[in-house]
């Protein structure tokens, strides 16, 4: 029995660390030129539900000359065992220590996973800071939505991938393979300098950050004194074109133990042009690119054959907006319902849900229904450009209850700009109307359940609300108490997020490079799994900021001016800052902006700057008024 086998006997869920799952890929270590590992900074059950990991794993392992293995954040008991036994963090497939790989690639899905990233680097026995690494150490790279403000992690990550990983990873691997094979190659700084020449690659060590005497950001500029081709002043995101033909994992790894989402994931389209002003994803994943129905049906067939799952989840930012959604659901059910395979939809827009769709997706068995009105009054929904009405919601839940559902979930956000107690009362009123609608549709009172979840607004980089401060903790807590008291009604369950977690999320979402010091201190003080309630240690975080000499409120509560230099201004999402500022002003005027799929171009600037266009499966895109983003 190996040392690893012995420690697996001492942890709660050893299946998290053994690998060998159905469809996992293990290549011959010695015959492959480049070794990479996908590092997910949370536990196995969370990471195995992440479609992005399955996509990159598939894309990289499709190459003969490269291997990709997986590693997930070890839970506290496993970390204790690794440290007690001086064992390095290892990959699932071959159990090689991570320090023996050429590249360790992290995905950045959530700011509160940042301490886990530092912990995994340290457990890999790789120097924590990029400046401390030598030529024998692997490169630490990262991508994902949080890479759109990479600065808080800049001390620890060698390079960031900005945009869609499957588009750029091939070029990066080709470069690395060529550099590694070079007989007279220079040190790791040489590779990073070359990598910065790939569009979509950001190497933070090649940029100089300056601050004003008042502590505000003065500039982020490429270092001009470095030999070689010029480093780009701004790093522009990469995105896939012809999404219908994009590589997709039809033989995904099937987890060893129950994952958060234990089902087939079928990505129907990418991007969203609804234009919700708080939403970062709606900006960074633009434009909308749909797959054709035939492609989806073929991929679903292969997924069902290769996984054994009994549920197909149609994933996207807003699946009900897919132009062929009814036809695809009908065809999927015709082909798979007889085999006991269910269709599920993620969170839905209330204006895109229909009774017909409700009846369709519950033919095999009912899965949960979640709607996201986001705000309680029409005034505030217009501020955020949600573009839905209370009657849309009532129509949707009427259809759902009438089709046999007895419970629905409603997502709201509190702390949005211009919010008043009248908007909170609106949430209460909507919940009450949904309960009344359920009873009117003859849902038994004992079975009727309306779950109201209220997240705290977190201003995100590259959104129209990026300039806005977050509500102070005391105000968020008051609003939560207000709702908790008023939502004490039969049939309603109220959930809310920990405000301290949302506060730190805002700090890192809007933060600059100096936050690396606080992050490292927090990790040294024992912060791990900060998104997990049982692990979150707010007092440790405050101590970390004190030791680093930083005020977290400076980051979460500051209102940026339009002319301020933002920590992420050198990262180009393709959507212009001028457009975001105009959207911010329109929010204050409660003025709506239309969806460019169906109305005139809103002038966000992405299509002309990145030379792309919408890809609509049904070819029904309306581009009247397209102005080339000249606004």
């Amino acid at each position: 029995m190996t040392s690893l086998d012995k420690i697996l006997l001492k942890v709660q869920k050893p299946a998290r660390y053994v690998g060998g799952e159905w469809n996992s890929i293990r290549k011959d270590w010695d015959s492959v030129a480049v070794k990479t590992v996908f590092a997910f900074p949370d536990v196995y059950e969370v990471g195995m539900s992440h479609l992005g990991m399955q996509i990159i794993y598939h894309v990289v392992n499709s190459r003969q000359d490269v291997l990709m293995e997986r590693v997930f954040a070890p839970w506290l008991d496993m970390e204790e065992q690794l440290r007690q036994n001086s064992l390095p963090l290892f990959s699932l497939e071959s159990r090689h220590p991570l320090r023996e790989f050429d590249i360790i690639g992290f995905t950045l899905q959530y700011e509160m996973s940042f301490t886990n990233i530092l912990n995994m680097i340290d457990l890999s026995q790789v120097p924590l800071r990029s400046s401390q690494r030598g030529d024998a150490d692997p490169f630490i790279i990262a991508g994902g939505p949080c890479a759109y403000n990479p600065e808080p992690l800049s001390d620890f990550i060698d390079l960031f991938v900005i945009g869609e990983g499957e588009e750029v990873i091939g070029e990066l691997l080709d470069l690395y393979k060529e550099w590694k094979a070079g007989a007279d190659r220079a040190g790791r700084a040489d590779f990073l300098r070359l990598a910065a020449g790939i569009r979509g690659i950001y190497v933070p060590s090649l940029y100089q950050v300056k601050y004003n005497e008042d502590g505000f950001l003065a500039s982020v500029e490429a270092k001009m004194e470095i030999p070689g081709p010029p480093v780009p002043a701004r790093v522009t995101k990469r995105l896939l074109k012809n999404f219908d033909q994009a590589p997709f994992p039809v033989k995904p790894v099937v987890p060893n133990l129950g994952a958060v989402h234990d089902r087939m994931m079928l990505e129907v389209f990418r991007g969203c042009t609804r234009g919700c002003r708080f939403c970062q994803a709606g900006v960074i994943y633009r434009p909308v690119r749909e797959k054709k129905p035939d492609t989806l049906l073929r991929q679903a067939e292969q997924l069902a054959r290769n996984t054994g799952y009994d549920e197909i989840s149609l994933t996207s930012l807003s699946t009900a907006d897919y132009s062929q959604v009814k036809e695809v659901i009908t065809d999927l059910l015709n082909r798979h319902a007889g085999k006991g395979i269910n269709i599920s939809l993620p969170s839905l827009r209330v204006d895109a849900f229909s009774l017909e769709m409700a009846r369709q997706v519950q033919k095999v068995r009912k899965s949960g229904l979640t709607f996201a009105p986001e705000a309680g009054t029409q005034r505030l929904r217009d501020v955020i450009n949600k573009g839905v009405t209370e009657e849309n919601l009532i129509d949707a839940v009427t259809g759902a209850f009438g089709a046999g559902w007895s419970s629905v979930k409603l997502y709201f956000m509190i702390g949005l700009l211009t919010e008043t107690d009248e908007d909170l009362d609106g949430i209460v009123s909507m919940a009450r109307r949904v309960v009344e609608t359920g009873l009117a549709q003859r849902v038994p009172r004992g079975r009727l359940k309306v779950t109201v979840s209220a997240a705290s607004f977190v201003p995100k980089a590259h959104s129209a609300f990026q300039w806005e401060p977050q509500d102070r903790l005391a105000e968020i807590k008051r609003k939560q108490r207000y709702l908790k008291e008023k939502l004490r009604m039969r049939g309603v369950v109220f959930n809310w997020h920990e405000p301290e977690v949302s506060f730190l999320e805002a700090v890192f979402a809007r933060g600059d490079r100096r936050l690396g010091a606080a992050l490292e201190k927090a990790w040294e003080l024992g912060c791990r799994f900060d998104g997990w309630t049982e692990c979150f240690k707010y007092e440790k975080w405050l101590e970390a900021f004190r030791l680093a000499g930083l005020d977290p409120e400076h980051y979460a509560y500051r209102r940026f001016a339009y002319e301020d230099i933002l920590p992420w201004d050198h990262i180009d999402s393709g959507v212009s800052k001028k457009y975001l500022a105009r959207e911010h002003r329109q929010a204050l005027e409660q003025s709506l902006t239309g969806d460019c799929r169906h109305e005139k171009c809103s002038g966000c600037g992405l299509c002309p700057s990145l030379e792309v266009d919408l890809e609509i499966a049904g070819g029904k895109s309306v581009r009247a008024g397209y102005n080339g983003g000249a606004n």
Side-chain angles (χ1 to χ4, degrees), residues 24 68 145 155 196 224 234 236 268 458 462 508 531 570 572:
S24 62
M68 173 166 275
D155 291 337
M224 304 303 292
R234 299 188 76 207
T236 303
V268 295
V458 176
H462 302 279
F508 284 96
H570 55 299
D572 181 8

Side-chain angles (χ1 to χ4, degrees), residues 273-278 318 321 349-353 372-375 377-393 430 583 590-595 598-599:
T273 47
R274 287 284 193 167
C276 297
R277 291 170 177 140
F278 59 83
S318 180
D321 283 338
R349 285 183 62 89
V350 295
D351 57 340
F353 186 77
E374 309 288 3
T377 61
Q378 193 59 50
R379 184 200 68 79
L380 193 53
R381 286 191 292 275
D382 289 347
V383 167
I384 64 177
N385 203 45
K386 189 64 183 177
V388 300
T389 67
E390 185 165 333
E391 291 314 305
N392 291 144
L393 173 65
M430 289 179 83
E583 282 297 292
Q590 301 170 35
S591 176
L592 294 173
T593 298
D595 182 341
H598 311 295
E599 301 176 36

Side-chain angles (χ1 to χ4, degrees), residues 22 254 264 303-311 341:
W22 195 10
V254 180
M264 292 173 262
L303 283 167
R305 187 167 59 243
N306 293 327
T307 66
Y309 284 121
D310 62 358
E311 182 174 317
I341 295 176

Side-chain angles (χ1 to χ4, degrees), residues 27 58 142 149 152 262 345 378 506 569:
K27 294 184 177 179
H58 163 71
N149 178 20
D262 221 4
L345 303 171
Q378 193 59 50
D569 272 354

Side-chain angles (χ1 to χ4, degrees), residues 7-181:
I7 68 171
L8 288 177
L9 296 173
K10 300 178 180 179
V11 299
Q12 283 186 340
K13 295 183 178 180
R16 286 170 167 168
Y17 313 106
V18 297
E21 307 98 318
W22 195 10
N23 295 333
S24 62
I25 299 170
R26 182 176 178 182
K27 294 184 177 179
D28 180 57
W29 181 268
D30 295 323
S31 64
V32 174
V34 182
K35 286 93 172 172
T36 71
V37 59
F38 191 106
F40 196 94
D42 210 316
V43 293
Y44 178 90
E45 299 94 307
V46 176
M48 286 301 295
S49 302
H50 179 52
L51 179 59
M53 185 207 70
Q54 300 274 12
I55 290 174
I56 298 299
Y57 187 79
H58 163 71
V59 169
V60 173
N61 281 320
S62 296
R63 295 175 56 137
Q64 296 298 315
D65 56 344
V66 184
L67 65 77
M68 173 166 275
E69 302 190 354
R70 293 164 296 140
V71 65
F72 301 88
W75 189 245
L76 306 180
D77 56 352
M78 186 60 170
E79 179 190 347
E80 182 181 1
Q81 290 299 319
L82 289 171
R83 293 193 185 280
Q84 281 183 1
N85 292 276
S86 300
L87 291 174
L89 190 60
F90 56 90
S91 67
L92 266 60
E93 279 78 0
S94 69
R95 296 191 178 183
H96 270 86
L98 261 60
R99 64 170 183 263
E100 296 181 5
F101 285 82
D102 297 304
I103 296 172
I104 301 173
F106 284 94
T107 181
L108 308 177
Q109 298 296 313
Y110 180 40
E111 289 83 358
M112 301 314 291
S113 70
F114 286 180
T115 54
N116 281 3
I117 292 173
L118 270 59
N119 201 39
M120 292 172 75
I121 295 173
D122 182 67
L123 285 169
S124 303
Q125 300 177 357
V126 173
L128 200 61
R129 289 178 171 261
S130 55
S131 60
Q132 299 167 335
R133 292 175 199 137
D135 291 346
D137 293 314
F139 287 95
I140 309 292
I141 72 173
C146 293
Y148 279 84
N149 178 20
E151 292 306 296
L153 283 171
S154 290
D155 291 337
F156 315 101
I157 304 296
D158 293 311
L159 68 84
F160 293 88
V161 174
I162 309 300
E164 293 168 344
E166 63 264 57
E167 170 68 8
V168 68
I169 191 68
E171 292 172 47
L172 186 64
L173 292 172
D174 287 342
L175 176 68
Y176 180 82
K177 182 182 176 184
E178 182 181 351
W179 175 81
K180 184 181 179 182

Side-chain angles (χ1 to χ4, degrees), residues 111-112 114 149 152 458-459 470 500-512 515 518 538 541-542 545 550-557 560 567-568:
E111 289 83 358
M112 301 314 291
F114 286 180
N149 178 20
V458 176
Q470 189 179 49
E500 291 85 359
V501 173
S502 300
F503 169 67
L504 288 177
E505 192 180 342
V507 170
F508 284 96
R510 312 177 87 214
D512 56 41
L515 283 177
Y538 186 55
W541 271 103
L542 294 182
F545 281 105
L550 295 170
D551 178 7
E553 294 189 0
H554 166 80
Y555 295 98
Y557 298 154
F560 289 118
W568 51 90

